[in-house]
Amino acid sequence: MYRKLLMGAGAIALAVSLNSGCADNSPTTKTDSPIATGQSTEALPAEAVGTLEIRANGEDFVRQGFTSKDGWKIEFDHVYATLAAVTAAQADPPYEPEKGKELQAQTQVSLADPQTIDLKTAGAETVRVGEVKAPAGRYNALAWKMVKPTDGPAKGYPLLLQGKATKDSQTVKFAIKIDQELAFSCGEFVGDERKGNLKPGEKADLEATFHFDHLFGDAETAATDDLNQGALGFAPLAAIATDGQLDADLATLKQKLSPADYQKLIGILPSLGHVGEGHCKETAIQAGA
Amino acid sequence: MMTKMGHRAFMQKVCQWGNTFFIGSIATFLATPQPGQAHGVVIQHQPVAAQTIVAQYEAGKPMANAQVTVYAPNGDSPWLQGTTDQDGRFLFTPDPAQPGDWQVRVRQAGHGGIITIPVQAGVKANHAIAASTPTSEDSVTQGPTDFPGTGYTGLQKGVMAASVVWGMVGTASFFARRKA
């Protein structure tokens, strides 16, 4: 009998002690990546590597067209962008371009060759730039250059916008040829979902995003909004078209636009590159390239 | 015979003590204010490591009523969601059991950003700090709180458990006396 009593008391005491230990106070620890910058994926075991895909996105502004801040309905036929030195990095500390500090990559991978892509590619929300085998980990930084392609439909222009703009009875067919090379360095993708968390044996993606509403403005946004206040709009471009045609590189635009509008255009170019909604730092223009 | 009678008397005393403790433990339990009781009010305080996020556009305009998503370290799913106030501020308390880099994403009208807040294990700050400038001076170190979330101290818990156990021993002894 006493043995049963002792067993019962022991069971209760055990239950009480287990209950009091239910609260989880055990800390988790941060695991730092042991992979040094620039280490080849060939030196890593296969189970430590995944596939990182880089995509580009011109958003609905490019895919579906939109109305500029000054009432021009813009439809694109093609938006060619040539991306080079596309580099994804595991940055520690996390890279925040607006703070002006250098990107400190613990691990980084790059695409081998420049790629010219058309952000207007039919049926695609985002366009594949390329993919690379990469060590697993969280890729929280992306950098790329925009260079002059040596061949193809956009030869000589890192960014080429082709389409038409309509307002009332006016239509302007345009080819805006941006021959200024650009370079963007960005932090973590900011959007509906998180991107860049590459797990061993799996696939993840990062996105270079282009915000063309910064150039033309957006009629669906208040005229007083900073976006529209800073945008060029399309009216200054329509004003320099001839017979409903505008075919202009930066030299032509500099010659025909007012100095204020041209400076506005040049000032907008560094703000085109994003990672989702996250801003980037442009370095090529700042360096005088 | 005297021995047998002495044992019975002892057992009766044990049963009385046991029942007294058992009833006493129940009375103590019922008399202790319970969280959620209709008329009882328990107000306590506990320092926590709150973080204040201040979100602004580059020109300095606050991101008022912007969408905020908080991610725990290495988490791909939101740990907490909310919106900023009129001044672009958002206050949250990271789970100290999940040390590491917490991230807070703020989005509004096609623009957004993400900030990383390192949270150390076992370190709690007792006042809000700006997320962009966390410093060790803003933190104080505290020991773990006994039985977090229950409102009872370890001593109270121990007394309650011992009373329940002793009461059950006494009750069992009472029935054991009849069989003897």
Side-chain angles (χ1 to χ4, degrees):
Chain A
M1 175 57 70
Y2 286 113
R3 202 174 79 176
K4 288 182 179 178
L5 289 174
L6 287 173
M7 288 176 63
I12 292 169
L14 179 62
V16 169
S17 64
L18 285 176
N19 182 51
S20 65
C22 283
D24 183 12
N25 290 321
S26 60
T28 57
T29 57
K30 176 187 172 186
T31 303
D32 292 321
S33 170
I35 302 165
T37 301
Q39 183 171 346
S40 169
T41 56
E42 294 176 0
L44 297 171
E47 60 269 23
V49 174
T51 302
L52 189 62
E53 184 178 54
I54 310 298
R55 303 188 70 85
N57 186 359
E59 301 189 307
D60 287 344
F61 294 112
V62 169
R63 290 188 292 269
Q64 300 173 10
F66 65 108
T67 301
S68 69
K69 71 171 188 178
D70 42 21
W72 285 85
K73 180 174 173 50
I74 298 172
E75 297 173 274
F76 293 101
D77 296 325
H78 303 283
V79 176
Y80 293 110
T82 300
L83 277 58
V86 180
T87 302
Q90 297 179 30
D92 189 15
Y95 178 57
E96 298 178 61
E98 65 276 10
K99 291 189 175 177
K101 295 182 179 177
E102 292 297 316
L103 193 162
Q104 298 180 36
Q106 304 303 310
T107 300
Q108 65 180 34
V109 292
S110 300
L111 299 183
D113 302 312
Q115 292 286 332
T116 297
I117 50 150
D118 185 358
L119 296 170
K120 175 64 180 182
T121 299
E125 288 204 345
T126 61
V127 182
R128 182 179 179 276
V129 180
E131 67 179 32
V132 61
K133 293 291 183 186
R138 183 175 292 283
Y139 287 84
N140 57 0
L142 181 67
W144 71 90
K145 293 180 179 177
M146 296 183 69
V147 300
K148 297 175 182 176
T150 54
D151 56 16
K155 181 179 178 180
Y157 304 106
L159 181 62
L160 171 58
L161 313 177
Q162 293 178 328
K164 67 176 181 180
T166 307
K167 183 177 183 181
D168 301 329
S169 59
Q170 290 182 275
T171 297
V172 175
K173 289 190 175 182
F174 62 83
I176 301 171
K177 301 170 177 176
I178 308 297
D179 44 359
Q180 168 68 54
E181 293 197 337
L182 302 166
F184 297 98
S185 60
C186 319
E188 182 164 336
F189 176 86
V190 179
D192 290 334
E193 58 181 344
R194 301 196 82 181
K195 290 182 179 292
N197 189 13
L198 182 61
K199 297 176 180 175
E202 297 188 9
K203 194 171 188 176
D205 70 292
L206 289 175
E207 180 184 296
T209 315
F210 295 91
H211 288 197
F212 288 103
D213 54 338
H214 287 216
L215 179 58
F216 298 111
D218 181 9
E220 295 185 3
T221 301
T224 55
D225 191 277
D226 288 345
L227 171 78
N228 283 333
Q229 291 290 310
L232 177 66
F234 194 81
L237 299 169
I240 62 172
T242 302
D243 298 329
Q245 300 279 340
L246 175 64
D247 188 331
D249 58 13
L250 284 180
T252 304
L253 293 171
K254 184 176 183 179
Q255 180 184 4
K256 292 187 174 181
L257 286 173
S258 71
D261 284 341
Y262 180 75
Q263 288 305 318
K264 196 172 211 177
L265 170 64
I266 296 299
I268 290 167
L269 296 180
S271 71
L272 294 180
H274 288 68
V275 277
E277 296 166 1
H279 287 214
C280 304
K281 183 171 89 173
E282 200 287 322
T283 56
I285 290 181
Q286 291 179 3
Chain B
M1 184 65 175
M2 287 298 290
T3 303
K4 190 175 182 180
M5 286 299 290
H7 177 72
R8 282 187 177 178
F10 175 73
M11 287 304 296
Q12 284 178 345
K13 285 288 183 185
V14 167
C15 290
Q16 287 174 358
W17 293 342
N19 288 331
T20 299
F21 271 99
F22 184 61
I23 293 169
S25 66
I26 292 174
T28 302
F29 183 79
L30 293 175
T32 304
Q34 298 298 301
Q37 196 173 3
H39 303 291
V41 175
V42 178
I43 302 176
Q44 300 173 337
H45 74 95
Q46 184 177 10
V48 295
Q51 301 282 346
T52 300
I53 303 304
V54 183
Q56 298 175 322
Y57 291 104
E58 287 179 337
K61 179 183 174 185
M63 295 180 72
N65 300 314
Q67 180 191 70
V68 180
T69 307
V70 179
Y71 295 96
N74 301 315
D76 281 330
S77 300
W79 183 80
L80 177 67
Q81 291 179 300
T83 56
T84 59
D85 65 12
Q86 291 300 309
D87 297 323
R89 293 179 180 273
F90 182 79
L91 180 72
F92 79 104
T93 305
D95 181 358
Q98 298 187 63
D101 288 341
W102 287 70
Q103 292 190 300
V104 183
R105 184 186 69 191
V106 183
R107 304 172 66 195
Q108 186 176 55
H111 295 274
I114 194 163
I115 188 170
T116 301
I117 303 171
V119 173
Q120 299 176 27
V123 176
K124 297 179 180 179
N126 62 354
H127 59 278
I129 61 174
S132 57
T133 56
T135 67
S136 57
E137 295 177 357
D138 292 313
S139 300
V140 294
T141 303
Q142 295 181 332
T145 303
D146 284 339
F147 303 100
T150 64
Y152 298 115
T153 66
L155 179 61
Q156 286 176 320
K157 285 271 187 180
V159 169
M160 289 169 65
S163 298
V164 170
V165 170
W166 184 246
M168 296 189 72
V169 169
T171 302
S173 299
F174 174 75
F175 289 109
R177 177 187 61 85
R178 285 188 173 178
K179 290 181 180 178

